[in-house]
C-alpha cells in the first residue's frame, strides 16, 4: 500500500478525519504495515499496550477471557481502530484481538499516537467519544446478560 493510500484510509476514520493530510502522512510514515493470518493475534489480553491497530482490510474478533472461557465482545473490520485503550491508560491489554480472515493493519506506536494527540487535541476528544460509546455498549450487554441470568435463576427455583 502506498503512503497516499494510507493517508486516505486514515482520513476515512472519524478519529482522524479532521487532521490535515500532512500530519496524517507523518503518522502513516511512522506506522508499520502488518499482515495477519486467520486465528493470528494482533494483541493478547494482559500484554502491555505499546500500540494501536487500524484495520486496513479483513476482519477480527475482540475476545475477552473470563473464568467461564473466552467471550467475543465485538467484531472489527476495515477502518476500525483497536488497542487504543491500553496505550491511553497505561494498562495491560483488556482483550485479545484475533484475525478471523486474512487481515492487514497499520500499527501505530504509543509514541506516535501521543505525538498526534498532543498536536491535535481534537483527537483526544474523538477518542473519548469512541471510548464512551464502547463503554455504553458494553454496559448495555452486561445489563442484558445479567437480566437473562436472573430470569434463568428464577425459572430454576420455580
Amino acid at each position: 500500500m502506498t503512503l497516499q493510500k494510507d493517508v486516505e484510509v486514515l482520513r476515512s476514520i472519524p478519529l482522524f478525519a479532521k487532521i490535515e493530510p500532512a500530519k496524517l502522512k507523518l503518522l502513516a510514515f511512522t506506522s508499520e504495515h502488518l499482515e495477519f493470518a486467520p486465528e493470528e493475534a494482533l494483541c493478547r489480553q494482559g500484554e502491555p499496550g505499546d500500540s494501536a491497530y487500524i484495520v486496513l482490510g479483513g476482519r477480527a474478533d475482540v475476545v475477552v477471557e473470563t473464568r467461564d472461557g473466552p467471550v467475543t465482545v465485538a467484531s472489527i473490520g476495515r477502518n476500525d481502530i483497536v488497542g487504543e485503550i491500553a496505550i491511553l491508560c497505561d494498562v495491560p491489554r483488556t482483550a485479545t484481538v484475533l484475525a478471523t480472515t486474512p487481515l492487514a493493519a497499520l500499527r501505530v506506536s504509543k509514541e506516535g499516537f501521543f505525538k498526534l494527540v498532543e498536536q491535535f487535541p481534537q483527537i483526544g476528544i474523538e477518542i473519548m467519544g469512541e471510548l464512551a460509546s464502547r463503554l455504553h455498549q458494553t454496559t448495555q450487554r452486561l445489563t442484558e446478560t445479567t437480566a437473562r441470568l436472573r430470569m434463568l435463576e428464577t425459572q430454576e427455583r420455580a
Side-chain angles (χ1 to χ4, degrees):
M1 191 175 265
T2 67
L3 192 58
Q4 188 56 40
K5 284 186 180 180
D6 287 347
V7 170
E8 289 171 19
V9 168
L10 289 171
R11 287 198 78 183
S12 70
I13 299 170
L15 202 58
F16 302 118
K18 298 175 184 168
I19 298 172
E20 64 185 79
K23 299 296 183 187
L24 289 179
K25 196 175 213 178
L26 180 61
L27 178 64
F29 182 74
T30 60
S31 298
E32 178 182 10
H33 278 268
L34 299 173
E35 301 283 331
F36 298 90
E39 300 303 315
E40 189 175 356
L42 283 71
C43 57
R44 294 202 176 275
Q45 184 174 338
E47 292 178 342
D50 61 350
S51 57
Y53 297 88
I54 297 167
V55 179
L56 301 174
R59 306 249 352 126
D61 283 341
V62 180
V63 180
V64 175
E65 290 295 330
T66 70
R67 66 178 173 192
D68 295 327
V71 175
T72 299
V73 295
S75 290
I76 60 171
R78 182 175 171 79
N79 296 349
D80 285 332
I81 186 167
V82 67
E84 73 282 10
I85 293 173
I87 64 174
L88 287 171
C89 301
D90 232 2
V91 296
R93 299 274 186 200
T94 58
T96 297
V97 181
L98 294 171
T100 55
T101 67
L103 185 136
L106 199 58
R107 180 183 175 274
V108 180
S109 72
K110 186 175 193 169
E111 181 181 320
F113 192 77
F114 271 107
K115 282 183 183 178
L116 195 64
V117 171
E118 286 173 3
Q119 291 178 357
F120 296 95
Q122 182 64 30
I123 291 177
I125 294 168
E126 297 289 338
I127 291 168
M128 284 189 291
E130 176 65 23
L131 294 177
S133 174
R134 289 183 190 182
L135 178 59
H136 176 71
Q137 291 171 3
T138 301
T139 301
Q140 280 185 312
R141 285 190 203 118
L142 182 60
T143 301
E144 291 166 5
T145 301
T146 302
R148 280 194 297 266
L149 288 173
R150 286 185 181 150
M151 187 175 13
L152 287 172
E153 288 173 352
T154 302
Q155 290 172 352
E156 287 177 1
R157 289 184 198 145

